[in-house]
Amino acid sequence: MAKVPVQFTLNGSETAEFVESGTTLLNALRDKIGDTSPKGGCHQGSCGACSVIVDGELKLSCLMLAETCSGADIRTTAGLSDGGVLHPLQRAFLDEFATQCGFCTPGMLMAAKTLLDHNPNPTREDVVEAISGNVCRCTGYEPIIRAVLTAARANSQNAS
Ligand code: FES
Ligand code: FES
């Protein structure tokens, strides 16, 4: 199959690769670029495990072709922490026991980050809506909702 060039910014770094035409962004990230933080669950847009942020919007990387992402700004959970310092969302997920097996966690973090980037003071309903496309089989969702609200509170206290 023909190879096509893809070039985008991944977590702030310029990234360029050749992938087979038709390769999903998920597979390009995991198999070619080595960022395994987006997870492959259903590969058909149903579970949210592969969620990444593309140009500020939450996207399912299993449904995007890598070749359509040239020039994009892509953010994954691998780029959330700042050096050794956890992002407030990661800290809150740990503190609230919002991760168990962890398979859904990177996608949940991307959904939560997209929410807080657009709406720094969400209601519980806003959080439920924001993570409604992400399946978690372990936590029962309540710890995740608490963690997102905790991170939002921490962010607003740091800002004040
Ligand atoms: S792997 Fe993309 S939505 Fe499930
Ligand atoms: S922590 Fe296991 S699927 Fe969410």
Side-chain angles (χ1 to χ4, degrees):
M1 187 157 322
K3 297 225 172 185
V4 292
V6 291
Q7 188 169 15
F8 46 72
T9 304
L10 178 62
N11 298 322
S13 298
E14 287 298 321
T15 304
E17 255 301 347
F18 283 93
V19 300
E20 288 185 356
S21 182
T23 300
T24 63
L25 176 60
L26 174 64
N27 287 343
L29 288 170
R30 290 182 59 85
D31 301 338
K32 297 293 285 188
I33 294 165
D35 182 348
T36 56
S37 62
K39 304 302 178 199
C42 65
H43 293 272
Q44 59 180 16
S46 302
C47 74
C50 65
S51 299
V52 299
I53 301 173
V54 179
D55 292 332
E57 301 296 332
L58 190 67
K59 298 288 184 185
L60 298 172
S61 62
C62 73
L63 296 185
M64 297 188 79
L65 295 181
E67 61 209 75
T68 67
C69 296
S70 279
D73 179 66
I74 299 177
R75 304 279 160 171
T76 69
T77 296
L80 260 188
S81 63
D82 183 6
V85 180
L86 294 179
H87 186 279
L89 275 166
Q90 292 173 307
R91 182 79 261 156
F93 268 59
L94 281 176
D95 291 346
E96 299 290 352
F97 302 99
T99 184
Q100 290 184 26
C101 80
F103 193 81
C104 72
T105 306
M108 287 287 184
L109 287 167
M110 290 292 94
K113 183 174 189 320
T114 306
L115 170 67
L116 298 189
D117 286 349
H118 289 85
N119 177 5
N121 295 300
T123 63
R124 186 180 190 285
E125 289 67 35
D126 293 333
V127 176
V128 169
E129 171 70 23
I131 64 168
S132 62
N134 294 70
V135 174
C136 176
R137 295 182 181 276
C138 304
T139 65
Y141 297 97
E142 283 302 325
I144 294 173
I145 295 165
R146 268 202 315 275
V148 179
L149 292 170
T150 297
R153 270 196 304 276
N155 279 345
S156 67
Q157 279 162 7
N158 289 342
S160 62

